[in-house]
Amino acid sequence: MSNISTDLPSKITTDIDFDKPGVQHGALTMPYSHNLSPWGSILMPVSVFAGGTGPTVLLVGGNHGDEYEGPIACMKLIRELDIDKLTGRVIVIPALNYPAVKNGTRLSPIDGKNMNRAFPGDRAGTVTDMIADYVQRFILPLCDAVADIHAGGRMMSFLPTSVIHRLADARHMDRTLEAAKAFNAPNCLVLEELDPQGMLDTAVEELGTLFISTELGGGGSMSVETVRIAYDGMRNLLVHMGVLSEPLRKNGDTRFLETPDGAFVTAEQDGILEFAAELGQKVSAGEAIAYIHDIDRPMAAPAVYRAPLDGIVMHRHVAGLIGRGDCLSVIAVEI
Ligand code: CA
């Protein structure tokens, strides 16, 4: 996207000098005037580790504010990265949608926006738009690889997986597959996005830059294992890119999955969700995977939702209540 200009300034300022060697912990500062802070600002933490000449890797958590592995693993890396072992630059943003992370919600409480639908952003837009614009114009052009750590959030849960996209460019695709193997999540979903417009993923990939994301656990919390996968995965990406010199943290091989047409199961009614299969369970086409009960008609049989194909349950709606139109489950198949 070479048509994106850096001529116009962002309203966001920073005490970070991205070109300076060494370790810097600072903030992206954006104006935010509201009732309780008329001349106030939002200070969104960012850290930069620059040690010698080499590639630049951006590590992102908190793109959605109710997904916790990313912020936790990014903060741990900020505390533990050793500049003396780096050959290149690591930029860490633990809370990309900082207001959403502070609020524990997927979307920003300030403007109601989804950070992962806000790219390429708008310098003169709302807070979410301004952050996306800054990242798009001033950070992504510095990067050789980006990891954006997602999880299921409050409403969904996933079999722990890295996520990459099917890319038209064969060389870009091969590089991405190699990075996903190094990242070493137990699973890697090779995905075609339902709606790629506005995603950080798309912004990065359109620059020809390496991008890897994850879907780790969910339910608005985290586990020992999902935090480990995020942390080890990001360190492994740094090693793979040649930025960090240490052994890869291997924990078995990555199983590659895909979601064929029809893999997404959508709820057709509101009600109480009873899941009949566990995440990771192998299911056969036609097998019952969930029921939706109507509390106002206890005598009525629940609606039965069946596996659309033979595969593995890789996603489930996790909240006890489900609504018509919600994604109920996704069944993936091994590649
Ligand atoms: Ca997410």
Side-chain angles (χ1 to χ4, degrees):
M1 294 252 280
S2 53
N3 59 333
I4 289 174
S5 163
T6 52
D7 295 348
L8 288 168
S10 171
K11 292 182 191 175
I12 295 178
T13 57
T14 183
D15 50 346
I16 296 279
D17 177 351
F18 288 98
D19 295 325
K20 193 171 124 187
V23 181
Q24 300 172 75
H25 304 293
L28 300 183
T29 301
M30 63 207 81
Y32 177 49
S33 174
H34 58 107
N35 287 334
L36 299 178
S37 188
W39 289 5
S41 298
I42 291 170
L43 278 72
M44 179 178 136
V46 56
S47 293
V48 181
F49 300 77
T53 307
T56 295
V57 179
L58 170 64
L59 305 175
V60 173
N63 182 330
H64 291 132
D66 61 349
E67 302 174 6
Y68 294 99
E69 287 83 354
I72 293 167
C74 282
M75 289 187 286
K76 195 164 143 67
L77 275 169
I78 286 170
R79 295 191 300 268
E80 295 181 1
L81 271 183
D82 179 356
I83 186 79
D84 293 331
K85 289 188 179 168
L86 296 182
T87 315
R89 181 168 48 180
V90 185
I91 303 171
V92 191
I93 302 178
L96 183 64
N97 197 338
Y98 174 82
V101 171
K102 294 281 277 190
N103 199 46
T105 51
R106 178 174 176 83
L107 311 181
S108 173
I110 295 175
D111 54 22
K113 289 188 179 170
N114 182 342
M115 180 60 71
N116 221 23
R117 300 293 181 275
F119 283 83
D122 178 359
R123 63 178 285 279
T126 63
V127 167
T128 307
D129 298 326
M130 279 194 279
I131 297 170
D133 171 69
Y134 189 91
V135 171
Q136 174 81 56
R137 291 193 297 139
F138 298 99
I139 297 183
L140 295 190
L142 308 175
C143 298
D144 298 286
V146 177
D148 181 22
I149 305 299
H150 286 252
R154 279 196 296 190
M155 303 305 282
M156 308 192 292
S157 195
F158 286 88
L159 193 61
T161 185
S162 57
V163 179
I164 59 175
H165 297 117
R166 267 192 214 295
L167 301 167
D169 182 89
R171 165 114 185 86
H172 197 182
M173 183 83 239
D174 286 347
R175 284 165 54 225
T176 304
L177 279 168
E178 289 309 310
K181 282 178 196 160
F183 191 94
N184 195 231
N187 304 284
C188 176
L189 179 63
V190 184
L191 190 64
E192 281 175 55
E193 290 292 342
L194 299 172
D195 180 17
Q197 177 81 30
M199 298 178 76
L200 172 60
D201 318 41
T202 309
V204 174
E205 286 164 356
E206 281 181 350
L207 293 167
T209 302
L210 206 54
F211 181 83
I212 185 159
S213 180
T214 61
E215 293 293 358
L216 303 170
S221 191
M222 82 301 298
S223 70
V224 172
E225 179 65 357
T226 55
V227 171
R228 182 199 66 74
I229 295 165
Y231 179 80
D232 286 356
M234 287 194 286
R235 283 195 91 106
N236 283 343
L237 180 63
L238 297 179
V239 173
H240 178 72
M241 293 301 293
V243 174
L244 176 62
S245 142
E246 67 179 23
L248 282 174
R249 294 155 180 253
K250 294 293 272 183
N251 205 306
D253 286 332
T254 298
R255 175 174 62 172
F256 284 82
L257 303 171
E258 63 182 354
T259 49
D261 285 349
F264 288 70
V265 182
T266 301
E268 291 175 4
Q269 52 264 107
D270 303 340
I272 293 176
L273 176 64
E274 176 191 1
F275 235 78
E278 301 289 356
L279 282 175
Q281 189 175 318
K282 284 195 170 149
V283 290
S284 305
E287 186 178 334
I289 53 168
Y291 304 98
I292 298 181
H293 301 272
D294 179 353
I295 195 64
D296 294 323
R297 300 172 64 231
M299 72 298 285
V304 183
Y305 285 79
R306 298 182 186 283
L309 39 92
D310 294 350
I312 299 152
V313 180
M314 79 151 309
H315 157 283
R316 57 160 291 186
H317 183 87
V318 79
L321 295 180
I322 193 163
R324 176 175 162 87
D326 291 342
C327 184
L328 184 148
S329 185
V330 178
I331 308 298
V333 299
E334 205 163 337
I335 298 175

